[in-house]
Amino acid sequence: MNAAAAYRHRIAVIAFDGITPFHLSVPGMVFRDAAFDLKICSADPSPLRTTGGFDISVRHGLQALGRADIVILPTWHDDCRPAPAALLEALKRAHRRGARIVGLCLGAFPLAEAGLLDGRRATTHWAYADTLAARHPDVAVDREVLYVDDEVLTSAGVAAGLDCCLHLLRQLCGAEAANHVARQLVVAPHRQGGQAQFIERPVPVSGSDDRFAQVLDWVNQRLADNHSIDALAARAAMSRRNFTRHFRDATGTSFKQWLLNQRVAHAQRLLETSDVSIELVAQEAGFGSALSLRQHFRTALCTSPSEYRRQFRAGAG
C-alpha cells in the first residue's frame, strides 16, 4: 500500500458463538495489509460455532479492545438479542478513549444498546431497520443507504459491509490502497454511503449492458470533459429516459452523483501519487477550478485537497 506508515493500525474484530463466517471474513479481507494488526476477539469461550457448520478458535478476549484503534462488530445474532453486559461495557470504554467504532449489518444493534448511536444517523440491514428504530428511538435510522459515517460507522448487509470497510481503508490509507484491495476482491472500489441498498444489476453482463458498461468506461477515461445525459444516451443507443432508469438500476445512484464520485476519487489518486498543482488536479479531475474542487472535496471528505495530500504524503513517509 502506498500509504502504509511504520505505525500499524490496531483493529479488534468481535466474534461470537453462532457467527456467520462470511460476515466475520469481511474486515479480514479488507484490512489484511501489513499496515494493520488485526485481532479476532470474543466474549464467548472458544471454540465458537459458526453458521457454516464448522467451529473456529479465537485467541483473544475482549481485553483486545483496550488497545485497539478500531473496533469492528461485523454482525450480530439474527434474533437481535440483547448483548452481554461485558461486551457493552467494552464497547463503551473503547469509544470513550477515542477508538473508531464500526458496526456492520446487524452489528448496529449492540452499538445502539451501548448508547453509542444516540443522536446519530445509523443504518443496518433493511429487513431489520424498523426493529432498530423501534428499540432505539434516539437513533436516526436511515433505511435506504449502504453505510453511514457519523463518527461511529454503520452499514447495511454483507456487500455494504465491504463498501464500509473500503471507505474506512480509504480514509486511513488513501484511494490507491482502497482501489488495490477492491480490485483483488473484484468489487467496486468506491460506492458512496448514500447510495441505495437495492441495486438490481450492479455489474452489467451482456447485450445492451455491454454497451452501457462501455459508456461508463468511456466517461471514466474522460473525466475532465463535460458530459450530458443526452449525449451518453445516444452513445449507448438508448433514449434519455431509458438511459436514466438503466443507470440507476445498474449503479444505485444518479449519473450526476456517480460522475461526481468518480471525479473526487480521481482527484484523490492524483493528490496521492503526483506533485501537480491543486489547480491542475482540479482540471484533470473535471472540476474546472481549484475552488470547485475544494468545495466538493470538503463536502465529500470533510477536508481540503492540500490537507489530504499532506496527510497521505506524511503517511507514505
Tab-separated table of all heavy atoms in Angstrom, residues 257-315:
chain	number	residue	atom	x	y	z
A	257	GLN	N	-24.471	12.173	-9.566
A	257	GLN	CA	-23.760	11.808	-8.348
A	257	GLN	C	-22.636	10.819	-8.645
A	257	GLN	O	-21.546	10.906	-8.070
A	257	GLN	CB	-24.728	11.206	-7.332
A	257	GLN	CG	-24.108	10.969	-5.956
A	257	GLN	CD	-23.587	12.237	-5.323
A	257	GLN	OE1	-24.305	13.213	-5.207
A	257	GLN	NE2	-22.329	12.224	-4.900
A	258	TRP	N	-22.882	9.875	-9.532
A	258	TRP	CA	-21.834	8.915	-9.905
A	258	TRP	C	-20.632	9.631	-10.500
A	258	TRP	O	-19.482	9.341	-10.139
A	258	TRP	CB	-22.400	7.921	-10.918
A	258	TRP	CG	-21.401	6.925	-11.433
A	258	TRP	CD1	-21.045	5.728	-10.875
A	258	TRP	CD2	-20.602	7.057	-12.631
A	258	TRP	NE1	-20.089	5.104	-11.641
A	258	TRP	CE2	-19.791	5.889	-12.725
A	258	TRP	CE3	-20.505	8.026	-13.618
A	258	TRP	CZ2	-18.896	5.687	-13.764
A	258	TRP	CZ3	-19.602	7.829	-14.666
A	258	TRP	CH2	-18.813	6.671	-14.734
A	259	LEU	N	-20.877	10.582	-11.397
A	259	LEU	CA	-19.781	11.314	-12.028
A	259	LEU	C	-19.008	12.111	-10.986
A	259	LEU	O	-17.766	12.144	-11.013
A	259	LEU	CB	-20.338	12.243	-13.112
A	259	LEU	CG	-19.306	13.077	-13.891
A	259	LEU	CD1	-18.307	12.168	-14.601
A	259	LEU	CD2	-20.012	13.992	-14.889
A	260	LEU	N	-19.704	12.733	-10.059
A	260	LEU	CA	-19.027	13.479	-9.000
A	260	LEU	C	-18.161	12.551	-8.157
A	260	LEU	O	-17.008	12.881	-7.825
A	260	LEU	CB	-20.065	14.174	-8.117
A	260	LEU	CG	-19.524	14.948	-6.902
A	260	LEU	CD1	-18.561	16.042	-7.345
A	260	LEU	CD2	-20.671	15.535	-6.094
A	261	ASN	N	-18.681	11.367	-7.832
A	261	ASN	CA	-17.891	10.404	-7.052
A	261	ASN	C	-16.624	9.996	-7.795
A	261	ASN	O	-15.539	9.880	-7.194
A	261	ASN	CB	-18.730	9.155	-6.758
A	261	ASN	CG	-19.927	9.439	-5.881
A	261	ASN	OD1	-20.010	10.487	-5.243
A	261	ASN	ND2	-20.867	8.508	-5.850
A	262	GLN	N	-16.736	9.754	-9.109
A	262	GLN	CA	-15.570	9.361	-9.902
A	262	GLN	C	-14.540	10.478	-9.938
A	262	GLN	O	-13.329	10.235	-9.864
A	262	GLN	CB	-15.984	8.991	-11.332
A	262	GLN	CG	-17.033	7.899	-11.454
A	262	GLN	CD	-16.708	6.678	-10.632
A	262	GLN	OE1	-15.641	6.085	-10.777
A	262	GLN	NE2	-17.624	6.282	-9.761
A	263	ARG	N	-14.998	11.700	-10.047
A	263	ARG	CA	-14.080	12.841	-10.107
A	263	ARG	C	-13.364	13.053	-8.785
A	263	ARG	O	-12.160	13.331	-8.760
A	263	ARG	CB	-14.853	14.094	-10.528
A	263	ARG	CG	-15.177	14.100	-12.026
A	263	ARG	CD	-16.074	15.248	-12.426
A	263	ARG	NE	-16.105	15.389	-13.893
A	263	ARG	CZ	-16.979	16.115	-14.555
A	263	ARG	NH1	-17.935	16.771	-13.898
A	263	ARG	NH2	-16.912	16.190	-15.881
A	264	VAL	N	-14.096	12.915	-7.682
A	264	VAL	CA	-13.450	13.035	-6.368
A	264	VAL	C	-12.406	11.937	-6.182
A	264	VAL	O	-11.283	12.190	-5.722
A	264	VAL	CB	-14.499	12.984	-5.241
A	264	VAL	CG1	-13.819	12.837	-3.872
A	264	VAL	CG2	-15.369	14.237	-5.258
A	265	ALA	N	-12.751	10.702	-6.554
A	265	ALA	CA	-11.808	9.581	-6.414
A	265	ALA	C	-10.571	9.797	-7.280
A	265	ALA	O	-9.444	9.501	-6.865
A	265	ALA	CB	-12.488	8.273	-6.783
A	266	HIS	N	-10.763	10.324	-8.494
A	266	HIS	CA	-9.619	10.584	-9.372
A	266	HIS	C	-8.740	11.689	-8.795
A	266	HIS	O	-7.502	11.593	-8.836
A	266	HIS	CB	-10.108	10.974	-10.763
A	266	HIS	CG	-9.010	11.102	-11.780
A	266	HIS	ND1	-8.057	10.132	-11.974
A	266	HIS	CD2	-8.708	12.114	-12.653
A	266	HIS	CE1	-7.209	10.515	-12.922
A	266	HIS	NE2	-7.584	11.718	-13.335
A	267	ALA	N	-9.364	12.716	-8.230
A	267	ALA	CA	-8.591	13.776	-7.586
A	267	ALA	C	-7.786	13.223	-6.412
A	267	ALA	O	-6.625	13.604	-6.209
A	267	ALA	CB	-9.524	14.888	-7.114
A	268	GLN	N	-8.380	12.309	-5.649
A	268	GLN	CA	-7.638	11.685	-4.549
A	268	GLN	C	-6.394	10.975	-5.070
A	268	GLN	O	-5.302	11.105	-4.497
A	268	GLN	CB	-8.534	10.685	-3.812
A	268	GLN	CG	-9.612	11.309	-2.949
A	268	GLN	CD	-10.473	10.258	-2.295
A	268	GLN	OE1	-11.429	9.764	-2.894
A	268	GLN	NE2	-10.155	9.900	-1.072
A	269	ARG	N	-6.559	10.205	-6.144
A	269	ARG	CA	-5.406	9.466	-6.684
A	269	ARG	C	-4.316	10.426	-7.154
A	269	ARG	O	-3.113	10.182	-6.925
A	269	ARG	CB	-5.856	8.567	-7.832
A	269	ARG	CG	-6.709	7.392	-7.383
A	269	ARG	CD	-6.915	6.377	-8.503
A	269	ARG	NE	-7.713	6.907	-9.598
A	269	ARG	CZ	-9.030	6.842	-9.656
A	269	ARG	NH1	-9.706	6.295	-8.664
A	269	ARG	NH2	-9.678	7.321	-10.699
A	270	LEU	N	-4.702	11.503	-7.810
A	270	LEU	CA	-3.712	12.477	-8.283
A	270	LEU	C	-2.987	13.140	-7.121
A	270	LEU	O	-1.766	13.356	-7.179
A	270	LEU	CB	-4.401	13.533	-9.148
A	270	LEU	CG	-4.922	13.070	-10.518
A	270	LEU	CD1	-5.741	14.170	-11.175
A	270	LEU	CD2	-3.759	12.665	-11.429
A	271	LEU	N	-3.718	13.463	-6.077
A	271	LEU	CA	-3.094	14.096	-4.912
A	271	LEU	C	-2.142	13.145	-4.201
A	271	LEU	O	-1.116	13.566	-3.665
A	271	LEU	CB	-4.181	14.567	-3.939
A	271	LEU	CG	-5.038	15.743	-4.425
A	271	LEU	CD1	-6.265	15.898	-3.536
A	271	LEU	CD2	-4.228	17.033	-4.453
A	272	GLU	N	-2.465	11.872	-4.196
A	272	GLU	CA	-1.616	10.880	-3.530
A	272	GLU	C	-0.360	10.550	-4.326
A	272	GLU	O	0.691	10.267	-3.750
A	272	GLU	CB	-2.399	9.585	-3.310
A	272	GLU	CG	-3.539	9.694	-2.318
A	272	GLU	CD	-4.355	8.423	-2.284
A	272	GLU	OE1	-3.805	7.353	-2.594
A	272	GLU	OE2	-5.554	8.493	-1.960
A	273	THR	N	-0.459	10.559	-5.649
A	273	THR	CA	0.596	9.972	-6.476
A	273	THR	C	1.360	10.971	-7.341
A	273	THR	O	2.255	10.562	-8.068
A	273	THR	CB	-0.008	8.904	-7.407
A	273	THR	OG1	-1.006	9.513	-8.253
A	273	THR	CG2	-0.678	7.794	-6.596
A	274	SER	N	1.018	12.266	-7.274
A	274	SER	CA	1.710	13.240	-8.118
A	274	SER	C	1.961	14.528	-7.344
A	274	SER	O	1.398	14.752	-6.266
A	274	SER	CB	0.884	13.557	-9.379
A	274	SER	OG	-0.221	14.388	-9.051
A	275	ASP	N	2.810	15.356	-7.919
A	275	ASP	CA	3.131	16.654	-7.320
A	275	ASP	C	2.493	17.810	-8.083
A	275	ASP	O	2.862	18.965	-7.869
A	275	ASP	CB	4.656	16.857	-7.280
A	275	ASP	CG	5.344	15.856	-6.363
A	275	ASP	OD1	4.842	15.646	-5.247
A	275	ASP	OD2	6.365	15.276	-6.778
A	276	VAL	N	1.555	17.522	-8.975
A	276	VAL	CA	0.956	18.590	-9.775
A	276	VAL	C	0.157	19.519	-8.870
A	276	VAL	O	-0.281	19.143	-7.776
A	276	VAL	CB	0.057	18.021	-10.893
A	276	VAL	CG1	0.860	17.158	-11.843
A	276	VAL	CG2	-1.112	17.228	-10.307
A	277	SER	N	-0.033	20.744	-9.317
A	277	SER	CA	-0.713	21.758	-8.518
A	277	SER	C	-2.179	21.396	-8.285
A	277	SER	O	-2.770	20.606	-9.034
A	277	SER	CB	-0.636	23.114	-9.218
A	277	SER	OG	-1.400	23.094	-10.417
A	278	ILE	N	-2.762	21.999	-7.260
A	278	ILE	CA	-4.173	21.777	-6.962
A	278	ILE	C	-5.035	22.220	-8.148
A	278	ILE	O	-6.032	21.573	-8.483
A	278	ILE	CB	-4.592	22.535	-5.686
A	278	ILE	CG1	-3.747	22.074	-4.491
A	278	ILE	CG2	-6.080	22.324	-5.406
A	278	ILE	CD1	-3.896	20.619	-4.139
A	279	GLU	N	-4.639	23.300	-8.790
A	279	GLU	CA	-5.378	23.794	-9.946
A	279	GLU	C	-5.387	22.752	-11.071
A	279	GLU	O	-6.433	22.502	-11.691
A	279	GLU	CB	-4.757	25.099	-10.452
A	279	GLU	CG	-5.544	25.785	-11.555
A	279	GLU	CD	-6.871	26.348	-11.073
A	279	GLU	OE1	-6.915	26.901	-9.959
A	279	GLU	OE2	-7.856	26.213	-11.824
A	280	LEU	N	-4.232	22.137	-11.324
A	280	LEU	CA	-4.162	21.131	-12.377
A	280	LEU	C	-4.935	19.872	-11.992
A	280	LEU	O	-5.590	19.249	-12.838
A	280	LEU	CB	-2.700	20.784	-12.687
A	280	LEU	CG	-2.471	19.867	-13.900
A	280	LEU	CD1	-3.107	20.462	-15.147
A	280	LEU	CD2	-0.977	19.634	-14.116
A	281	VAL	N	-4.876	19.486	-10.728
A	281	VAL	CA	-5.677	18.348	-10.259
A	281	VAL	C	-7.153	18.611	-10.524
A	281	VAL	O	-7.876	17.744	-11.011
A	281	VAL	CB	-5.445	18.093	-8.753
A	281	VAL	CG1	-6.478	17.098	-8.206
A	281	VAL	CG2	-4.037	17.565	-8.508
A	282	ALA	N	-7.593	19.844	-10.216
A	282	ALA	CA	-8.993	20.208	-10.432
A	282	ALA	C	-9.375	20.077	-11.898
A	282	ALA	O	-10.440	19.560	-12.240
A	282	ALA	CB	-9.240	21.626	-9.932
A	283	GLN	N	-8.485	20.536	-12.782
A	283	GLN	CA	-8.777	20.476	-14.219
A	283	GLN	C	-8.803	19.036	-14.721
A	283	GLN	O	-9.708	18.635	-15.462
A	283	GLN	CB	-7.740	21.300	-14.985
A	283	GLN	CG	-7.828	22.799	-14.710
A	283	GLN	CD	-6.685	23.576	-15.336
A	283	GLN	OE1	-5.931	23.044	-16.144
A	283	GLN	NE2	-6.545	24.836	-14.957
A	284	GLU	N	-7.813	18.241	-14.323
A	284	GLU	CA	-7.738	16.870	-14.817
A	284	GLU	C	-8.864	15.992	-14.267
A	284	GLU	O	-9.287	15.030	-14.924
A	284	GLU	CB	-6.375	16.262	-14.456
A	284	GLU	CG	-5.216	16.899	-15.213
A	284	GLU	CD	-3.943	16.079	-15.104
A	284	GLU	OE1	-4.013	14.933	-14.633
A	284	GLU	OE2	-2.883	16.610	-15.503
A	285	ALA	N	-9.363	16.321	-13.075
A	285	ALA	CA	-10.443	15.542	-12.485
A	285	ALA	C	-11.819	16.017	-12.954
A	285	ALA	O	-12.829	15.367	-12.654
A	285	ALA	CB	-10.375	15.600	-10.961
A	286	GLY	N	-11.852	17.131	-13.672
A	286	GLY	CA	-13.121	17.592	-14.227
A	286	GLY	C	-13.867	18.616	-13.400
A	286	GLY	O	-15.031	18.905	-13.680
A	287	PHE	N	-13.201	19.222	-12.389
A	287	PHE	CA	-13.864	20.228	-11.565
A	287	PHE	C	-13.729	21.640	-12.125
A	287	PHE	O	-14.431	22.549	-11.692
A	287	PHE	CB	-13.335	20.178	-10.130
A	287	PHE	CG	-13.769	18.954	-9.387
A	287	PHE	CD1	-12.897	17.893	-9.206
A	287	PHE	CD2	-15.058	18.840	-8.894
A	287	PHE	CE1	-13.300	16.747	-8.531
A	287	PHE	CE2	-15.471	17.705	-8.221
A	287	PHE	CZ	-14.598	16.656	-8.040
A	288	GLY	N	-12.797	21.827	-13.035
A	288	GLY	CA	-12.661	23.112	-13.694
A	288	GLY	C	-11.805	24.110	-12.960
A	288	GLY	O	-10.936	24.762	-13.552
A	289	SER	N	-11.987	24.252	-11.663
A	289	SER	CA	-11.215	25.226	-10.889
A	289	SER	C	-10.862	24.649	-9.529
A	289	SER	O	-11.541	23.738	-9.018
A	289	SER	CB	-12.016	26.520	-10.693
A	289	SER	OG	-13.115	26.295	-9.823
A	290	ALA	N	-9.814	25.205	-8.921
A	290	ALA	CA	-9.411	24.755	-7.590
A	290	ALA	C	-10.506	25.042	-6.567
A	290	ALA	O	-10.707	24.271	-5.626
A	290	ALA	CB	-8.107	25.444	-7.187
A	291	LEU	N	-11.232	26.146	-6.744
A	291	LEU	CA	-12.312	26.479	-5.817
A	291	LEU	C	-13.405	25.417	-5.844
A	291	LEU	O	-13.872	24.955	-4.792
A	291	LEU	CB	-12.907	27.843	-6.181
A	291	LEU	CG	-14.121	28.278	-5.336
A	291	LEU	CD1	-13.745	28.373	-3.868
A	291	LEU	CD2	-14.667	29.612	-5.844
A	292	SER	N	-13.790	24.991	-7.048
A	292	SER	CA	-14.810	23.945	-7.164
A	292	SER	C	-14.327	22.639	-6.555
A	292	SER	O	-15.078	21.947	-5.856
A	292	SER	CB	-15.173	23.739	-8.637
A	292	SER	OG	-16.129	22.708	-8.773
A	293	LEU	N	-13.069	22.290	-6.810
A	293	LEU	CA	-12.506	21.073	-6.222
A	293	LEU	C	-12.554	21.143	-4.704
A	293	LEU	O	-12.950	20.179	-4.037
A	293	LEU	CB	-11.068	20.877	-6.696
A	293	LEU	CG	-10.273	19.755	-6.003
A	293	LEU	CD1	-10.918	18.398	-6.254
A	293	LEU	CD2	-8.829	19.747	-6.471
A	294	ARG	N	-12.151	22.274	-4.137
A	294	ARG	CA	-12.136	22.408	-2.673
A	294	ARG	C	-13.542	22.251	-2.099
A	294	ARG	O	-13.733	21.594	-1.067
A	294	ARG	CB	-11.553	23.759	-2.278
A	294	ARG	CG	-10.060	23.902	-2.562
A	294	ARG	CD	-9.493	25.181	-1.972
A	294	ARG	NE	-8.112	25.371	-2.382
A	294	ARG	CZ	-7.728	26.163	-3.381
A	294	ARG	NH1	-8.636	26.862	-4.075
A	294	ARG	NH2	-6.450	26.283	-3.691
A	295	GLN	N	-14.520	22.852	-2.762
A	295	GLN	CA	-15.893	22.767	-2.264
A	295	GLN	C	-16.399	21.326	-2.265
A	295	GLN	O	-16.963	20.849	-1.273
A	295	GLN	CB	-16.800	23.654	-3.117
A	295	GLN	CG	-16.553	25.143	-2.926
A	295	GLN	CD	-17.324	25.993	-3.919
A	295	GLN	OE1	-17.727	25.523	-4.989
A	295	GLN	NE2	-17.537	27.256	-3.577
A	296	HIS	N	-16.188	20.627	-3.379
A	296	HIS	CA	-16.665	19.247	-3.467
A	296	HIS	C	-15.851	18.316	-2.563
A	296	HIS	O	-16.402	17.366	-1.992
A	296	HIS	CB	-16.608	18.766	-4.919
A	296	HIS	CG	-17.653	19.381	-5.788
A	296	HIS	ND1	-18.994	19.140	-5.617
A	296	HIS	CD2	-17.563	20.245	-6.835
A	296	HIS	CE1	-19.694	19.811	-6.519
A	296	HIS	NE2	-18.851	20.479	-7.268
A	297	PHE	N	-14.571	18.564	-2.433
A	297	PHE	CA	-13.711	17.758	-1.568
A	297	PHE	C	-14.151	17.899	-0.119
A	297	PHE	O	-14.226	16.913	0.624
A	297	PHE	CB	-12.256	18.215	-1.740
A	297	PHE	CG	-11.261	17.095	-1.824
A	297	PHE	CD1	-11.134	16.355	-2.988
A	297	PHE	CD2	-10.443	16.787	-0.756
A	297	PHE	CE1	-10.213	15.320	-3.083
A	297	PHE	CE2	-9.516	15.755	-0.837
A	297	PHE	CZ	-9.409	15.026	-1.997
A	298	ARG	N	-14.451	19.138	0.276
A	298	ARG	CA	-14.888	19.387	1.649
A	298	ARG	C	-16.206	18.676	1.928
A	298	ARG	O	-16.387	18.059	2.983
A	298	ARG	CB	-15.047	20.893	1.866
A	298	ARG	CG	-15.582	21.298	3.224
A	298	ARG	CD	-14.619	21.015	4.348
A	298	ARG	NE	-13.373	21.749	4.215
A	298	ARG	CZ	-12.348	21.646	5.062
A	298	ARG	NH1	-12.444	20.804	6.091
A	298	ARG	NH2	-11.247	22.332	4.872
A	299	THR	N	-17.125	18.732	0.975
A	299	THR	CA	-18.420	18.086	1.157
A	299	THR	C	-18.284	16.568	1.242
A	299	THR	O	-18.891	15.918	2.096
A	299	THR	CB	-19.362	18.447	-0.004
A	299	THR	OG1	-19.555	19.866	-0.023
A	299	THR	CG2	-20.707	17.750	0.149
A	300	ALA	N	-17.460	15.989	0.356
A	300	ALA	CA	-17.352	14.528	0.276
A	300	ALA	C	-16.460	13.941	1.356
A	300	ALA	O	-16.746	12.860	1.881
A	300	ALA	CB	-16.838	14.122	-1.102
A	301	LEU	N	-15.371	14.646	1.699
A	301	LEU	CA	-14.342	14.043	2.551
A	301	LEU	C	-14.047	14.823	3.820
A	301	LEU	O	-13.196	14.399	4.621
A	301	LEU	CB	-13.039	13.875	1.754
A	301	LEU	CG	-13.152	13.046	0.469
A	301	LEU	CD1	-11.852	13.117	-0.310
A	301	LEU	CD2	-13.503	11.616	0.788
A	302	CYS	N	-14.720	15.980	4.008
A	302	CYS	CA	-14.533	16.795	5.215
A	302	CYS	C	-13.079	17.232	5.406
A	302	CYS	O	-12.569	17.294	6.534
A	302	CYS	CB	-15.026	16.052	6.458
A	302	CYS	SG	-16.790	15.650	6.393
A	303	THR	N	-12.396	17.504	4.309
A	303	THR	CA	-11.038	18.013	4.369
A	303	THR	C	-10.756	18.782	3.094
A	303	THR	O	-11.595	18.823	2.191
A	303	THR	CB	-10.016	16.863	4.551
A	303	THR	OG1	-8.720	17.417	4.823
A	303	THR	CG2	-9.940	15.978	3.313
A	304	SER	N	-9.585	19.415	3.027
A	304	SER	CA	-9.207	20.154	1.826
A	304	SER	C	-8.239	19.316	0.994
A	304	SER	O	-7.585	18.409	1.513
A	304	SER	CB	-8.521	21.468	2.214
A	304	SER	OG	-7.253	21.215	2.799
A	305	PRO	N	-8.114	19.603	-0.311
A	305	PRO	CA	-7.144	18.862	-1.133
A	305	PRO	C	-5.721	18.966	-0.599
A	305	PRO	O	-4.989	17.967	-0.580
A	305	PRO	CB	-7.277	19.524	-2.509
A	305	PRO	CG	-8.666	20.071	-2.534
A	305	PRO	CD	-8.933	20.529	-1.137
A	306	SER	N	-5.327	20.151	-0.136
A	306	SER	CA	-3.960	20.331	0.376
A	306	SER	C	-3.726	19.509	1.627
A	306	SER	O	-2.683	18.859	1.782
A	306	SER	CB	-3.689	21.816	0.655
A	306	SER	OG	-3.778	22.575	-0.528
A	307	GLU	N	-4.713	19.519	2.540
A	307	GLU	CA	-4.579	18.750	3.764
A	307	GLU	C	-4.585	17.258	3.463
A	307	GLU	O	-3.842	16.482	4.084
A	307	GLU	CB	-5.709	19.113	4.731
A	307	GLU	CG	-5.633	18.382	6.073
A	307	GLU	CD	-4.333	18.622	6.811
A	307	GLU	OE1	-3.767	19.739	6.680
A	307	GLU	OE2	-3.863	17.689	7.500
A	308	TYR	N	-5.400	16.839	2.516
A	308	TYR	CA	-5.437	15.434	2.119
A	308	TYR	C	-4.075	14.996	1.604
A	308	TYR	O	-3.567	13.941	1.971
A	308	TYR	CB	-6.503	15.237	1.041
A	308	TYR	CG	-6.686	13.793	0.617
A	308	TYR	CD1	-7.570	12.958	1.282
A	308	TYR	CD2	-5.978	13.266	-0.457
A	308	TYR	CE1	-7.740	11.636	0.901
A	308	TYR	CE2	-6.138	11.942	-0.847
A	308	TYR	CZ	-7.017	11.133	-0.169
A	308	TYR	OH	-7.169	9.828	-0.549
A	309	ARG	N	-3.465	15.813	0.762
A	309	ARG	CA	-2.143	15.478	0.223
A	309	ARG	C	-1.118	15.406	1.338
A	309	ARG	O	-0.304	14.464	1.396
A	309	ARG	CB	-1.742	16.515	-0.823
A	309	ARG	CG	-0.303	16.360	-1.307
A	309	ARG	CD	-0.011	17.321	-2.438
A	309	ARG	NE	-0.348	16.727	-3.729
A	309	ARG	CZ	-0.400	17.417	-4.881
A	309	ARG	NH1	-0.198	18.726	-4.868
A	309	ARG	NH2	-0.666	16.798	-6.004
A	310	ARG	N	-1.136	16.354	2.254
A	310	ARG	CA	-0.172	16.339	3.366
A	310	ARG	C	-0.357	15.107	4.228
A	310	ARG	O	0.615	14.460	4.631
A	310	ARG	CB	-0.340	17.604	4.220
A	310	ARG	CG	0.297	18.849	3.655
A	310	ARG	CD	0.380	19.929	4.691
A	310	ARG	NE	-0.928	20.399	5.089
A	310	ARG	CZ	-1.587	21.392	4.509
A	310	ARG	NH1	-1.037	22.031	3.471
A	310	ARG	NH2	-2.766	21.775	4.930
A	311	GLN	N	-1.607	14.737	4.473
A	311	GLN	CA	-1.895	13.577	5.315
A	311	GLN	C	-1.305	12.305	4.743
A	311	GLN	O	-0.641	11.536	5.441
A	311	GLN	CB	-3.410	13.424	5.464
A	311	GLN	CG	-3.819	12.178	6.237
A	311	GLN	CD	-5.329	11.980	6.223
A	311	GLN	OE1	-6.083	12.855	5.781
A	311	GLN	NE2	-5.775	10.824	6.678
A	312	PHE	N	-1.503	12.084	3.435
A	312	PHE	CA	-1.060	10.817	2.857
A	312	PHE	C	0.399	10.841	2.446
A	312	PHE	O	1.032	9.791	2.401
A	312	PHE	CB	-1.985	10.437	1.699
A	312	PHE	CG	-3.318	9.966	2.206
A	312	PHE	CD1	-4.414	10.790	2.164
A	312	PHE	CD2	-3.448	8.715	2.773
A	312	PHE	CE1	-5.637	10.372	2.661
A	312	PHE	CE2	-4.654	8.283	3.281
A	312	PHE	CZ	-5.747	9.107	3.220
A	313	ARG	N	0.952	12.020	2.201
A	313	ARG	CA	2.407	12.082	1.988
A	313	ARG	C	3.130	11.793	3.296
A	313	ARG	O	4.145	11.109	3.326
A	313	ARG	CB	2.803	13.455	1.446
A	313	ARG	CG	2.356	13.691	0.009
A	313	ARG	CD	2.959	12.632	-0.918
A	313	ARG	NE	2.421	12.719	-2.254
A	313	ARG	CZ	2.923	13.522	-3.212
A	313	ARG	NH1	3.954	14.296	-2.955
A	313	ARG	NH2	2.377	13.528	-4.415
A	314	ALA	N	2.568	12.297	4.417
A	314	ALA	CA	3.165	12.016	5.711
A	314	ALA	C	3.066	10.545	6.042
A	314	ALA	O	4.006	9.916	6.543
A	314	ALA	CB	2.470	12.842	6.791
A	315	GLY	N	1.923	9.933	5.700
A	315	GLY	CA	1.756	8.501	5.944
A	315	GLY	C	2.690	7.673	5.127
A	315	GLY	O	3.254	6.684	5.592
